[in-house]
Amino acid sequence: MADCIFCRLINDPGSIAVYRDDDVALLDDINPQAPVHFLVLPRQHVETIAELDDHQLLGRIFQVAHRIARERGIAEGGYRLVFNQGPNAGQTVYHVHLHVLGGRQLTWPPG
Ligand code: AMP
Ligand code: ZN
């Protein structure tokens, strides 16, 4: 998808994607909402989490999220995993991504 910012970032060898395997990529959020805030996304362009029905790929996304959370030192304190689905949830980039937020006490309910 040429006009998708996340497709461009994760498929450009010179890009800032900090992790990449055959199925999954990781980006540091450009506007972090917590001391640690990164995004885990499928390399395949799928617009929303509701449309992502490949269970193996879903599992990989969570697996990478937990692994990088451990590597970045937020596993013990706890972290939040968020998929924003559609406009009311505030989804702004229509390439599925799992937000991983940690490193501070997060409030609930979310805004
Ligand atoms: P969402 O609102 O759930 O669609 O989240 C989109 C996220 O992507 C936001 O947290 C943005 O800060 C983040 N974002 C937008 N553009 C970029 C970019 N070029 N690199 C990294 N993160 C981005
Ligand atoms: Zn895309």
Side-chain angles (χ1 to χ4, degrees), residues 5-6 9 16 27-31 37 39 84 90-93 97 99:
I5 177 72
F6 284 179
L9 286 172
I16 55 155
L27 294 170
D28 280 318
D29 199 289
I30 202 170
N31 182 23
H37 184 182
L39 309 170
N84 289 323
Q91 185 173 359
T92 57
V93 178
H97 50 281
H99 293 260

Side-chain angles (χ1 to χ4, degrees), residues 51-69:
E51 295 165 281
L52 183 58
D53 57 6
D54 178 338
H55 293 185
Q56 206 170 344
L57 185 53
L58 272 170
R60 284 286 300 139
I61 290 170
F62 284 107
Q63 214 171 34
V64 170
H66 298 309
R67 197 175 85 224
I68 305 295

